[in-house]
Amino acid sequence: MTSLDTVCVQGGWHPGSGEPRQVPIYQNTTWKYDTSEHMGRLFDLEESGYFYTRLQNPTNDAVAAKIAELEGGSAAMLTSSGQAANFFAVFNLASAGDHVVSTSAIYGGTYNLLAHTLKRMGIQCTFVQPDCSSAELEAAFQPNTKCVFGETVANPALAVLDIERFAQAAHAHGVPLIVDNTFPTPVLCRPLEWGADIVTHSTTKYMDGHGASVGGAIVDGGTFDWRAYPERFPGLCEPDESYHGVVYAERFGLEGAFITKATAQLMRDLGSIQSPQNAFLINLGLESLHLRMARHAENGLRVAQALAAHPKVSWVLHPSLVGDPSYELAQKYLPQGSCGVVAFGVAEGREGAEAMMRKLKLAQIATHVADARTCVLHPANATHRQMTDDELRAAGIGPDLVRLSCGIEDAEDIIADLHQALE
């Protein structure tokens, strides 16, 4: 097997003699064909090829192939954002009258998507704590449950998902586990190897790594047998009349059915495409991902240790920190480090947190996270602002929580900046 380091640099695009060494940007909307019959075969999914960038583009496909290889999946697609990736991944399986199970410790935007927006579309969601009891997890499932969702490392609660446990519960009920792997990236964790079936990413974060492009990705593991549950997944196992009766699970098999359906139906009708320019920028970030993630993880742990020893810090969360609630799970799923994000509380509470943030010089207040530059955010006042206090507590977010995303600067400089701001 080619190492992940090499895949980061060379995966996805394999030029022939005289072709560009770097993946080219296909900045075009359409392709020319000699006959309408040829184009008709493309529209009928009888032949692979390109005819409109909203559905497929060679730049996007090369980058998606690299991400699929990194995750160990069978197929992948790019979307306009991580939020679009999570929406497509769930909506590709669930429709009006269906149900989803999700952990409560997830990104605020994803919580709103599952709890409110999908509810307006007739899809209900039951939330469980990542460390819920077996009885609580079992009780969350309903006859119309179509999938289980969670984050490898929750944003910003930093709870580590017990992937094997949730995968076993999902499979016992005949549904797939979808895992958002944005924070660890496949460099530090590959959820498919632990039983997950579908992996999503906000490529805006570590994969890009430089705050230059917005994007998302969905990777299918290609192992979930949709045909074993034809009544539960009719969209994959019954004829699609909008594509002349194609049955995705039959035509494209386990390895290609999920992504093909998501492209042919959801991208066709909802159009949340990633631009080829953004895909190109993400590929540049992927080429150094293996180097950056090691530094992010190292800096995150060093900063967490320094904060834990500071008298003006009341608590610290980082999965790799000894004594962290997720430490044991992190040792299992993330032995090489978890991420560069640290959550902590200032002793003076919410007011103290906001005052401290105003004094920071190196760390910048920004809604972004997982960047080469250190940035900081007060989630209760920003990304999770729409959540009630009860919802915040369920997601593991208190009013004093500060989310610090450690960049790849010198760790001592980040620590010095925090110390002067706390003082």
Side-chain angles (χ1 to χ4, degrees):
M1 173 185 169
T2 303
S3 73
L4 288 182
D5 294 10
T6 301
V7 175
C8 283
V9 179
Q10 297 210 17
W13 175 249
H14 306 287
S17 179
E19 293 184 336
R21 186 66 188 85
Q22 178 59 276
V23 57
I25 304 173
Y26 284 81
Q27 195 61 50
N28 59 296
T29 60
T30 50
W31 280 259
K32 175 258 184 186
Y33 289 94
D34 292 336
T35 68
S36 61
E37 289 81 8
H38 188 180
M39 184 171 286
R41 292 194 297 273
L42 299 177
F43 270 90
D44 287 346
L45 304 180
E46 294 176 352
E47 186 176 319
S48 62
Y50 300 97
F51 54 87
Y52 197 54
T53 282
R54 185 174 82 243
L55 291 172
Q56 285 185 290
N57 178 284
T59 306
N60 292 27
D61 284 356
V63 179
K66 176 182 284 191
I67 295 173
E69 189 173 359
L70 287 170
E71 285 287 7
S74 63
M77 65 185 294
L78 301 186
T79 61
S80 58
S81 66
Q83 191 78 330
N86 284 334
F87 172 57
F88 275 23
V90 173
F91 198 58
N92 204 36
L93 301 173
S95 56
D98 288 335
H99 175 258
V100 175
V101 175
S102 173
T103 61
S104 57
I106 55 177
Y107 167 60
T110 308
Y111 183 94
N112 288 333
L113 169 68
L114 296 174
H116 303 295
T117 301
L118 287 183
K119 184 178 180 180
R120 292 170 54 199
M121 303 171 73
I123 301 171
Q124 302 291 328
C125 183
T126 298
F127 292 94
V128 296
Q129 294 282 357
D131 59 351
C132 65
S133 67
S134 298
E136 289 171 330
L137 180 55
E138 181 67 22
F141 287 90
Q142 299 177 12
N144 57 342
T145 299
K146 293 300 178 73
C147 63
V148 178
F149 181 88
E151 294 178 358
T152 311
V153 177
N155 176 15
L158 301 180
V160 175
L161 182 70
D162 191 342
I163 302 171
E164 278 193 319
R165 178 182 178 228
F166 276 81
Q168 289 169 2
H171 297 161
H173 288 269
V175 300
L177 172 64
I178 303 171
V179 175
D180 185 328
N181 198 36
T182 294
F183 269 13
T185 79
V187 171
L188 298 178
C189 181
R190 304 217 299 176
L192 297 177
E193 295 179 347
W194 297 100
D197 302 287
I198 298 159
V199 173
T200 62
H201 283 277
S202 170
T203 60
T204 315
K205 308 304 190 297
Y206 285 124
M207 284 191 169
D208 167 33
H210 300 84
S213 62
V214 176
I218 307 172
V219 180
D220 180 18
T223 57
F224 191 88
D225 190 357
W226 312 105
R227 295 169 298 187
Y229 311 97
E231 295 181 356
R232 185 171 294 137
F233 303 107
L236 286 155
C237 300
E238 294 181 4
D240 178 4
E241 298 306 324
S242 69
Y243 270 104
H244 307 289
V246 62
V247 179
Y248 295 101
E250 292 180 1
R251 175 80 65 84
F252 302 101
L254 301 186
E255 296 82 6
F258 184 86
I259 292 298
T260 303
K261 178 179 179 293
T263 301
Q265 287 184 354
L266 303 186
M267 194 63 80
R268 175 196 65 188
D269 295 341
L270 300 174
S272 298
I273 186 175
Q274 185 171 141
S275 75
Q277 178 71 49
N278 278 349
F280 175 84
L281 293 172
I282 286 167
N283 189 57
L284 292 181
L286 289 172
E287 290 180 354
S288 63
L289 184 64
H290 57 300
L291 302 175
R292 290 184 290 104
M293 289 310 298
R295 183 60 174 263
H296 282 297
E298 176 190 352
N299 281 359
L301 178 56
R302 290 179 63 184
V303 168
Q305 292 168 336
L307 287 170
H310 200 285
K312 291 194 175 184
V313 174
S314 53
W315 57 268
V316 179
L317 290 177
H318 184 73
S320 301
L321 183 67
V322 174
D324 186 272
S326 289
Y327 179 76
E328 294 301 325
L329 285 175
Q331 294 306 296
K332 175 180 179 178
Y333 295 114
L334 303 151
Q336 297 180 343
S338 51
C339 62
V341 182
V342 181
F344 65 97
V346 179
E348 290 85 355
R350 183 171 190 152
E351 292 75 16
E354 293 176 350
M356 182 275 298
M357 288 170 61
R358 286 195 293 270
K359 297 292 185 180
L360 291 168
K361 298 176 181 178
L362 183 149
Q364 303 166 355
I365 298 176
T367 55
H368 199 37
V369 68
D371 195 300
R373 295 159 292 242
T374 297
C375 51
V376 66
L377 185 74
H378 187 227
N381 198 42
T383 54
H384 293 64
R385 190 180 182 90
Q386 289 76 25
M387 297 172 69
T388 66
D389 287 346
D390 288 342
E391 290 173 337
L392 285 169
R393 281 188 287 271
I397 302 165
D400 61 337
L401 186 150
V402 175
R403 183 186 74 183
L404 179 74
S405 175
C406 300
I408 55 175
E409 306 95 345
D410 188 291
E412 291 305 316
D413 289 338
I414 302 173
I415 293 168
D417 187 38
L418 289 165
H419 280 180
Q420 66 82 22
L422 287 164
E423 294 302 324

